[in-house]
C-alpha cells in the first residue's frame, strides 16, 4: 500500500502516534487510506449538500474495506462573484484546487481518492489533480439544482440575470424582479441549466471518471446519496484492480468527451477545462480539433439557456449514457475506453435508451447536424474564439456590424443599460483575458443585459474574457491572442466593421494591411491591473485562452 509510507515500520512510529491522536484504530490503519476531497462550504448553493454526499461516500468506502479520510477543497460561487472584482478570482481557483489537492494527497500518501466537487472550477480542478496524482479515483458531484418556476414555467439562474436587464429597460417593475429573485433557484445544487458546472459533471461521465448519473441526478434526490455510497465502494474496486486516472483519461477518452460536449451543447468553458485536464494527463489537446468533431457530431440537446429543458429533464430522459448511446448509432464514440466503473464505455452504455426524444433528440432528428460549440478564426482571432453555436439564434449565425469598443466589463454594462447599444452593434470587451483581467472574467452580466433589453437576436458580443454557461446569443469569447499581449482585438476601434460567420468558423474585422500595421506599431502594453497577491503571480504565469489558460512552468 502507498500509505505504508506513513503507517508501517519502526521509523513510522511517530506517524502512528499522530494517527492515534486522530482516534484511528490499528484495524483502520491496516486498511487502504482513501482520501475524500470535500468541496463543502456554506457560500455556494451547489455545495451546501456536499456534507451529506461525503458522509455517504465514507460509508461506501468503509463498507468496501477502506479507511475514509476527509480533507477540503475551496470553491467560489460564480453567481455571487459575477459582475465585480470577485469574478477575477473564479477561474484562478482551478489551479489552487489542483495544487492544494496534490499537496494533501501526496503529503499523506493516500492509496485512493474520491473527489466530491460541484460548480464551475472544482470539477476541472479536481480532474486536473486526479490526473496529476494518479492513484485510483472516482468522482461524485453534489448534483444539479431543480429548475425554478416563474409564472408556471420552468426557469433558472440565467433568467434571473436577464430579468435584471429587463428591469433596466423598464419592461418589468421592482415587484416582478423580486418575484424572479424568490423563485428561480429553489433548491441546493449546481444551477439547473447546461451551465459550466453541469457541463463538466456530465463530461466527467463521458471521460469515464464518474459513475452513471453523476452529472444529472438532482442534488435533492435520495438517489444521489445512493450514488455516493456506490462511488465509495467502487473506488475500492479500482484500488484492488489498480485502475488509475491515466488509464481512464486517455486520448480516446478526451475525444469521447469532446464528442459528448458537442451533442449536449455544453458551456464554452469546457474548451478551457478539457485542454487543461488533458495536459495533466500528458495529452496535448488543441481546441482546433473541436470543429472537426463538431462537423460530424449532431447537437441533440437544447438545455437552458439554449432551450426550455433542464438537468432534471435530461436525467429523466436517460442522462449522459442515453446521449452517448444515441451517438453510437453514428459510430462516434470509442467504446473500448476503460472507466471508473471498472467496465468499458461500451459496456456502461449498453441498453441505456433515450426515454424522451423531446429532451434528447434522436440522431436522425437533431437540432443541428453539427455540434454545440464552434471555434472561430480570422484576423480578429488568429488563434481562436469560442462560441456556443447551439445557443445562437439562426439570424445571428452570420452577422456584420459596427464595433462598440470597451476596455472593461463595467463600461460595457453601463453602455448597454443606458441604451447606448442598438440593434446591429457588435460589443467588444477587451483587456479581460487571462492576463489582462487578470483572471478571465465571465461576461454573464453584459450578455444577460443584452438579452433582457430585447437585443439578443440583433447584437453580438466579442471578448478576450469568457462567458458563463448561462450566457446565450452570439457571444464569442476566449479571443486569442488577448489584448493584453497585443492581440488584434487590442487594435479594434469604435465603428470598425466586424464580420461574424459561425457556419464558416470565421471572425474578422474590416481593416487594410497598412492600417493594421499602423495600429499595431502604435500599441503599447498596459500596466498590470493588480500588482500584489495571488492574481499578480497568476498574471505572470498564465497562458492564453486557446491553451486552456493553463499556467506555464517558469524557466
Amino acid at each position: 500500500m502507498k500509505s505504508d509510507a506513513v503507517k508501517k515500520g519502526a521509523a513510522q512510529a511517530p506517524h502512528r502516534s499522530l494517527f492515534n491522536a486522530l482516534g484511528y484504530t490499528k484495524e483502520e490503519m491496516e486498511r487502504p487510506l482513501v482520501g475524500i476531497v470535500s468541496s463543502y462550504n456554506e457560500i455556494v448553493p451547489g455545495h451546501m449538500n456536499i456534507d451529506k454526499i461525503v458522509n455517504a461516500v465514507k460509508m461506501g468506502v468503509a463498507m468496501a474495506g477502506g479507511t475514509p479520510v476527509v480533507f477540503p477543497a475551496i470553491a467560489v460561487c460564480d453567481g455571487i462573484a459575477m459582475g465585480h472584482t470577485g469574478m477575477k478570482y473564479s477561474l484562478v481557483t482551478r489551479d489552487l484546487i489542483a495544487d492544494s489537492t496534490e499537496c494533501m494527497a501526496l503529503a499523506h500518501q493516500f492509496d485512493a481518492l474520491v473527489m466530491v466537487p460541484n460548480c464551475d472550477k472544482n470539477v476541472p480542478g479536481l480532474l486536473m489533480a486526479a490526473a496529476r496524482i494518479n492513484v485510483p479515483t472516482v468522482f461524485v458531484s453534489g448534483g444539479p439544482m431543480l429548475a425554478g418556476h416563474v409564472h408556471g414555467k420552468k426557469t433558472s439562474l440565467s433568467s434571473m440575470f436577464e430579468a435584471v436587464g429587463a428591469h433596466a429597460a423598464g419592461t418589468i417593475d421592482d415587484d416582478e424582479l423580486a418575484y424572479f429573485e424568490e423563485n428561480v433557484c429553489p433548491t441546493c445544487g449546481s444551477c439547473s441549466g447546461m451551465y459550466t458546472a453541469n457541463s463538466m459533471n456530465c463530461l466527467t461521465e463521458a471521460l469515464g471518471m464518474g459513475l452513471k448519473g453523476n452529472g444529472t441526478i438532482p442534488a435533492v434526490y435520495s438517489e444521489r446519496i445512493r450514488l455516493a455510497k456506490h462511488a465509495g465502494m467502487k473506488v475500492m474496486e479500482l484500488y484492488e484492480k489498480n485502475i488509475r486516472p491515466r488509464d481512464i483519461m486517455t486520448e480516446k477518452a478526451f475525444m469521447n468527451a469532446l464528442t459528448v460536449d458537442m451533442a449536449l451543447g455544453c458551456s464554452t468553458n469546457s474548451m478551457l477545462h478539457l485542454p487543461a485536464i488533458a495536459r495533466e494527463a500528458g495529452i496535448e489537446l488543441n481546441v482546433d480539433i473541436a470543429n472537426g468533431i463538431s462537423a460530424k457530431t449532431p447537437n441533440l440537446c437544447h438545455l437552458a439557456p439554449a432551450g426550455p429543458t433542464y438537468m432534471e429533464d435530461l436525467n429523466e430522459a436517460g442522462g449522459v449514457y442515453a446521449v452517448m448511446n444515441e451517438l453510437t448509432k453514428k459510430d462516434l464514440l470509442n467504446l473500448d475506453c476503460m472507466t471508473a466503473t471498472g467496465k468499458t464505455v461500451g459496456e456502461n452504455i449498453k441498453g441505456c435508451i433515450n426515454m424522451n426524444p423531446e429532451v434528447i433528440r434522436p440522431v436522425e432528428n437533431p437540432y443541428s447536424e453539427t455540434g454545440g460549440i464552434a471555434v472561430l478564426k480570422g484576423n480578429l482571432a488568429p488563434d481562436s474564439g469560442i462560441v456556443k453555436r447551439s445557443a445562437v439564434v439562426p439570424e445571428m449565425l452570420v452577422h456584420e456590424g459596427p464595433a462598440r469598443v470597451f476596455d472593461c466589463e463595467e463600461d460595457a454594462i453601463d453602455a448597454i443599460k443606458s441604451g447606448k447599444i442598438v440593434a446591429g452593434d457588435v460589443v467588444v470587451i477587451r483587456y479581460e483575458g487571462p492576463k489582462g483581467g487578470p483572471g478571465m472574467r465571465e461576461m454573464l452580466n453584459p450578455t444577460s443585459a443584452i438579452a433582457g433589453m430585447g437585443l439578443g437576436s440583433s447584437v453580438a458580443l466579442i471578448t478576450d474574457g469568457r462567458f458563463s454557461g448561462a450566457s446565450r446569443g452570439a457571444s464569442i469569447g476566449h479571443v486569442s491572442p488577448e489584448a493584453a499581449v497585443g492581440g488584434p482585438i487590442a487594435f479594434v476601434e469604435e465603428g470598425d466593421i466586424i464580420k461574424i460567420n459561425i457556419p464558416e468558423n470565421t471572425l474578422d474585422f474590416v481593416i487594410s494591411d497598412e492600417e493594421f500595421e499602423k495600429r499595431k506599431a502604435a500599441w503599447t502594453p498596459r500596466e498590470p491591473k493588480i500588482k500584489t497577491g495571488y492574481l499578480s503571480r497568476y498574471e505572470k504565469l498564465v497562458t492564453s485562452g486557446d491553451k486552456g489558460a493553463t499556467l506555464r512552468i517558469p524557466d
Side-chain angles (χ1 to χ4, degrees), residues 369-393:
E369 294 291 343
T370 53
I373 288 177
V375 179
L376 312 185
K377 289 192 174 186
N379 69 356
L380 184 51
D383 292 337
S384 72
I386 308 292
V387 63
K388 187 172 183 176
R389 183 196 337 233
S390 59
V392 180
V393 294

Side-chain angles (χ1 to χ4, degrees), residues 499-545:
K499 294 183 175 182
I500 300 165
N501 192 320
I502 295 172
E504 294 186 4
N505 302 313
T506 60
L507 178 62
D508 295 284
F509 69 122
V510 178
I511 187 173
S512 68
D513 292 343
E514 294 78 12
E515 180 63 19
F516 183 93
E517 292 302 323
K518 178 182 175 182
R519 294 183 191 179
K520 183 177 180 180
W523 179 83
T524 56
R526 299 189 174 197
E527 284 289 313
K529 293 177 182 177
I530 296 177
K531 299 182 180 181
T532 60
Y534 178 62
L535 284 180
S536 178
R537 298 197 301 275
Y538 181 88
E539 182 270 331
K540 291 177 174 63
L541 296 175
V542 71
T543 60
S544 65

Side-chain angles (χ1 to χ4, degrees), residues 326-371:
E326 281 289 338
L327 294 173
T328 63
K329 297 176 183 178
K330 294 190 73 172
D331 196 27
L332 292 172
L333 295 177
N334 299 292
L335 299 180
D336 58 348
C337 293
M338 179 51 61
T339 74
T341 67
K343 299 178 181 179
T344 64
V345 168
E347 291 173 314
N348 285 343
I349 66 176
K350 185 178 180 180
C352 295
I353 61 171
N354 177 4
M355 293 182 282
N356 189 337
E358 296 303 313
V359 176
I360 304 171
R361 288 277 187 92
V363 292
E364 302 85 7
N365 180 36
Y367 282 101
S368 66
E369 294 291 343
T370 53

Side-chain angles (χ1 to χ4, degrees), residues 243-274:
I243 298 174
R244 302 173 181 233
R246 292 194 186 190
D247 300 322
I248 295 169
M249 290 192 282
T250 62
E251 185 172 356
K252 286 184 177 180
F254 281 99
M255 295 304 104
N256 282 348
L258 279 169
T259 300
V260 174
D261 186 322
M262 296 299 172
L264 286 171
C266 290
S267 163
T268 53
N269 281 313
S270 63
M271 294 295 105
L272 284 176
H273 299 322
L274 288 175

Side-chain angles (χ1 to χ4, degrees), residues 44-114:
V44 186
H47 292 227
M48 65 177 285
N49 67 320
I50 280 179
D51 56 340
K52 295 176 177 61
I53 304 296
V54 166
N55 285 336
V57 172
K58 289 175 67 176
M59 184 174 291
V61 168
M63 288 169 62
T67 297
V69 184
V70 179
F71 64 89
I74 65 168
V76 165
C77 177
D78 277 22
I80 295 174
M82 194 72 65
H84 56 89
T85 300
M87 182 45 68
K88 295 178 184 290
Y89 287 90
S90 173
L91 177 61
V92 305
T93 63
R94 185 184 67 182
D95 297 278
L96 287 173
I97 291 161
D99 292 349
S100 59
T101 302
E102 173 196 359
C103 292
M104 288 293 290
L106 297 182
H108 302 102
Q109 294 291 288
F110 289 109
D111 296 298
L113 297 166
V114 180

Side-chain angles (χ1 to χ4, degrees), residues 79-267:
I80 295 174
M82 194 72 65
H84 56 89
T85 300
M87 182 45 68
K88 295 178 184 290
Y89 287 90
S90 173
L91 177 61
V92 305
T93 63
R94 185 184 67 182
D95 297 278
L96 287 173
I97 291 161
D99 292 349
S100 59
T101 302
E102 173 196 359
C103 292
M104 288 293 290
L106 297 182
H108 302 102
Q109 294 291 288
F110 289 109
D111 296 298
L113 297 166
V114 180
M115 307 293 198
V116 190
N118 218 12
C119 300
D120 294 23
K121 308 312 163 303
N122 297 80
V123 186
L126 290 179
L127 283 166
M128 289 164 67
R132 194 184 298 176
I133 299 161
N134 203 35
V135 299
T137 303
V138 175
F139 275 67
V140 55
S141 76
M145 184 183 292
L146 292 178
H149 290 83
V150 171
H151 301 304
K153 294 183 179 180
K154 287 185 178 181
T155 190
S156 60
L157 185 66
S158 55
S159 299
M160 183 71 251
F161 277 91
E162 290 179 15
V164 173
H167 183 266
T171 56
I172 66 172
D173 60 18
D174 291 348
D175 289 342
E176 181 70 358
L177 187 66
Y179 176 76
F180 269 82
E181 184 179 324
E182 292 163 5
N183 289 282
V184 296
C185 296
T187 71
C188 62
S190 48
C191 297
S192 56
M194 188 54 80
Y195 309 151
T196 304
N198 293 325
S199 295
M200 294 309 302
N201 280 327
C202 288
L203 294 182
T204 299
E205 284 191 59
L207 270 175
M209 291 297 293
L211 307 184
K212 180 184 178 184
N214 176 67
T216 60
I217 297 170
V220 295
Y221 282 14
S222 298
E223 184 182 359
R224 184 156 289 276
I225 299 296
R226 299 197 298 272
L227 177 72
K229 291 175 183 176
H230 283 129
M233 290 184 268
K234 186 60 67 174
V235 80
M236 296 307 300
E237 180 185 327
L238 297 184
Y239 170 76
E240 293 297 331
K241 295 179 177 178
N242 196 29
I243 298 174
R244 302 173 181 233
R246 292 194 186 190
D247 300 322
I248 295 169
M249 290 192 282
T250 62
E251 185 172 356
K252 286 184 177 180
F254 281 99
M255 295 304 104
N256 282 348
L258 279 169
T259 300
V260 174
D261 186 322
M262 296 299 172
L264 286 171
C266 290
S267 163

